[in-house]
Amino acid sequence: MKKVYSARDIDDLHRGGGMGSIPAGAILTPSARDRMKELGVAKHNGNPTRGGTSDDGIDASVRASSPKADLERLFNSPAVHALKEQICEIGRRLWQRAYVDGNGGNLSIRLTEDVVLCTPTLVSKGFMKPEDLCLVDLDGNQLAGVKKRTSEILMHLQIMKAQPKARAVSHAHPPYATGFAVAGVQPPTCMIPEIEVFIGRVPIAPYETPGTIEMGRKVAELVNEHNTVLMENHGVVSWSNTIEDAYFKMEIVEAYCRTVIVTTQLGVQPKQFSPKHLKDLLDIKQTLGVPDPRIGLKECELCDNDGWRPGVTCAVPAKGGDSAKPEGDSEAESVVQAVTAEIMNRLKG
């Protein structure tokens, strides 16, 4: 009897890099066929392959277990070279925007079922060349490339295993978003439409040592419902179906965090749009197929920022355990009030 494959079966096989195990003549449910299409996987002569040479020019039949000559041919093919150039371009953008420094940050693209293209270690993302890039399997073993692969590829691979739609991953340290990650403060919601549609809530993954599989697992726990994650005391990671879109999400979250910080410095309570307006945005998001755990919630459950505070005031405990109001510089306070009043008057004008 022929085995019937559902969309869930396809996801399970995709996570483990086992799409090639679907036998010829297997029955695919409509949802399974739709999921394979979403993943960029085509079924040729009974053998599922990623992408297909007709779409992106990549030989999707190559696996990590393929002969070294086949892996080298894939690695040096024109189609993969184009992706290498794209990764180098994204790396330059990250560096030019000061989202990375030194040799920080890393990028990756899943080429076939279990073969991934990634950036090298100890190389500035602003000055990478196509020949610097590496090829690895889903366990992080290097398959091709002169330079050593990035130490943080294990996180990328955990994301790809947990989220079948994650064909590309971008990791960097943009300062404003990373500031939220270091402070352990989840960015508030319902302030700017773009982030609600393209990203949504941005969770914080607990800190783990960079380069370890434990760090990857902490992030991977969040990627089924979120395409962008803050990494506590570390940085930001985003995923998408293309490396450029993964980078766009990095730009969006950084611009948003910067705007929130600037807003809190104006001395007024930040304005939010209503839960009804957020629901409208979530409806748009749903049509785009972007995951968001808030889809389906009641309006009264949206735009809850009770856990967010724009700043913290510390008081020195008085003798006896009571809090005492800290002494301040009255002259400095007067200057601050005058400057704030002037800014507000100009904004009103």
Side-chain angles (χ1 to χ4, degrees), residues 206-239:
Y207 179 82
E208 288 289 349
T209 303
T212 63
I213 196 168
E214 288 77 13
M215 180 185 71
R217 287 171 178 162
K218 291 295 185 183
V219 174
E221 290 174 0
L222 301 169
V223 297
N224 276 328
E225 294 187 335
H226 304 277
N227 57 36
T228 304
V229 176
L230 299 186
M231 303 164 66
E232 190 176 65
N233 294 94
H234 189 156
V236 183
V237 63
S238 54
W239 65 263

Side-chain angles (χ1 to χ4, degrees), residues 106 118-123 125 128 131-136 140-153:
N106 26 81
C118 72
T119 50
T121 189
L122 300 177
V123 175
K125 301 308 164 292
M128 284 189 303
E131 55 266 31
D132 293 332
L133 272 62
C134 313
L135 209 63
V136 299
N141 300 307
Q142 189 153 341
L143 304 173
V146 177
K147 295 186 182 296
K148 186 178 179 181
R149 52 86 164 164
T150 172
S151 62
E152 292 191 298
I153 188 60

Side-chain angles (χ1 to χ4, degrees), residues 5 9-23 41 48 63 110 112-114 138:
Y5 287 83
D9 294 327
I10 297 301
D11 282 344
D12 291 341
L13 289 171
H14 184 72
R15 289 189 184 98
M19 292 294 289
S21 64
I22 299 179
V41 178
R63 298 289 183 270
R110 190 172 187 172
T112 71
E113 281 307 308
D114 59 357
L138 286 183

Side-chain angles (χ1 to χ4, degrees), residues 265-268 334-346:
Q265 295 173 341
L266 295 177
V268 296
S334 298
V335 171
V336 171
Q337 291 174 1
V339 171
T340 301
E342 179 64 21
I343 291 174
M344 296 307 299
N345 287 333
R346 292 188 181 185

